[in-house]
């Protein structure tokens, strides 16, 4: 197991460093406090599970009419899309024009048919990571369950075989090594959300920490 405490302290320090007044205008693509990069950094808890396609599955469960449990072939058979979006990490880097390929979260959720009471989701990952979002946020057209990026299969260190991508939120909401989507009535803060990170994580509002 990684040294959680050390990781968390290091991450907090990175995110707090260089806080500066908001400079980005409404038409800029780099939010305030962010710096553009092109090297697609790797950031996670350090566990990096290797998930073979033969063992891979994706579940949708909780407050749904139809629980789903898709294997790789079933996932590939769903309508595939491509979406270009910008990726903003709370540790202050942003990479523009990330060209993701995969299945819209919307597609999967429609198949699962959420019950009326379902208002929030928890994304569960193979490294034990979780993150939470309102169900509505996952229904945006740009939210994609991605198996490829920039024309190549998603590398394992970036969350392959499959990760969630939620472009309108800081990247910690984009769960790597996605294994399940759980729907519930109440909001359940995830790994970083219970450790002082902002529940909503909108980079354009600089919602980094719960006290921002
Ligand atoms: N399963 C899982 N997903 C995760 C993380 C993690 O530790 N585990 N880290 C998050 C954080 S903090 C960031 S910034 C992005 C980084 O994605 P990248 O490594 O592909 O750049 O993944 C997010 N998704
Ligand atoms: Mo992050």
């Amino acid at each position: 197991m990684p040294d959680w405490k050390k990781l968390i302290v290091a991450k907090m320090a990175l995110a707090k460093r260089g806080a500066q007044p908001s400079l980005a205008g409404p038409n800029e693509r780099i939010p305030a406090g962010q710096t553009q990069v092109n090297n697609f950094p790797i950031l996670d808890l350090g566990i990096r599970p290797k998930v073979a396609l033969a063992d891979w599955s994706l579940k949708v469960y909780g407050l749904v009419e139809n629980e789903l449990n898709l294997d790789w072939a079933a996932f590939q058979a769903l309508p595939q899309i491509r979406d270009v979006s910008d990726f903003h990490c709370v540790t202050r880097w942003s990479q523009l024009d990330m060209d993701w390929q995969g299945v819209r979260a919307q597609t999967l959720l429609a198949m699962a048919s959420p019950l009326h009471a379902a208002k929030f989701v928890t994304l569960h990952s193979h490294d034990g990571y979780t993150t939470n979002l309102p169900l509505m946020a996952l229904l945006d057209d740009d939210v994609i369950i991605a198996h490829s990026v920039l024309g190549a299969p998603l590398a394992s260190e970036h969350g392959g075989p499959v990760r969630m991508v939620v472009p309108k939120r800081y990247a910690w909401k984009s769960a790597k090594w996605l294994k399940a989507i759980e729907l519930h009535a109440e909001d359940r803060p995830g790994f970083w959300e219970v450790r002082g990170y902002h529940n909503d994580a909108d980079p354009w509002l600089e919602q980094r920490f719960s006290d921002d």
Side-chain angles (χ1 to χ4, degrees):
M1 285 298 277
D3 183 342
W4 298 104
K5 215 173 150 195
K6 239 168 131 180
L7 267 163
I8 291 158
V9 169
K11 187 156 181 206
M12 289 284 189
L14 267 171
K16 293 229 191 250
R17 195 177 60 193
Q20 52 190 250
S22 184
L23 294 173
N27 300 316
E28 302 285 340
R29 288 176 66 190
I30 306 290
Q34 298 292 112
T35 302
Q36 188 177 351
V37 299
N38 293 300
N39 61 343
F40 195 12
I42 295 164
L43 240 103
D44 52 51
L45 302 174
I47 296 173
R48 305 201 181 143
K50 291 261 189 287
V51 186
L53 293 187
D55 302 329
W56 184 88
S57 71
L58 181 58
K59 292 187 179 58
V60 182
Y61 70 104
L63 296 181
V64 294
E65 236 166 76
N66 312 307
E67 292 205 348
L68 304 179
N69 190 1
L70 303 177
D71 65 10
W72 187 251
F75 179 71
Q76 292 297 322
L78 297 177
Q80 303 287 319
I81 65 137
R82 190 170 197 143
D83 186 79
V84 179
S85 59
D86 302 339
F87 200 63
H88 308 291
C89 173
V90 73
T91 59
R92 300 186 177 278
W93 54 268
S94 291
Q95 182 148 346
L96 304 183
D97 299 319
M98 299 297 280
D99 178 0
W100 302 100
Q101 283 174 268
V103 174
R104 274 205 179 99
Q106 200 183 95
T107 302
L108 218 67
L109 289 163
M111 286 169 63
S113 189
L115 298 175
H116 188 72
K119 298 280 188 273
F120 296 94
V121 302
T122 296
L123 306 179
H124 295 272
S125 297
H126 284 282
D127 57 347
Y129 185 80
T130 58
T131 188
N132 59 305
L133 285 159
L135 176 56
M136 283 303 291
L138 276 200
L139 299 178
D140 277 357
D141 282 349
D142 60 357
V143 177
I144 179 167
I145 302 170
H147 55 68
S148 298
V149 66
L150 303 169
L154 193 58
S156 157
E157 60 268 29
H158 285 298
V162 155
R163 80 178 300 164
M164 186 67 80
V165 179
V166 188
K168 293 191 183 75
R169 311 280 173 143
Y170 281 122
W172 85 78
K173 297 281 187 184
S174 290
K176 310 206 280 192
W177 310 291
L178 184 67
K179 71 171 183 189
I181 303 173
E182 182 183 5
L183 287 80
H184 19 246
E186 76 292 354
D187 201 7
R188 296 186 196 165
F191 182 88
W192 286 115
E193 292 84 1
V194 299
R195 288 171 174 80
Y197 278 72
H198 201 286
N199 202 51
D200 301 330
D202 181 340
W204 294 100
L205 300 175
E206 276 212 83
Q207 293 173 332
R208 298 174 192 274
F209 303 107
S210 50
D211 52 4
D212 283 338

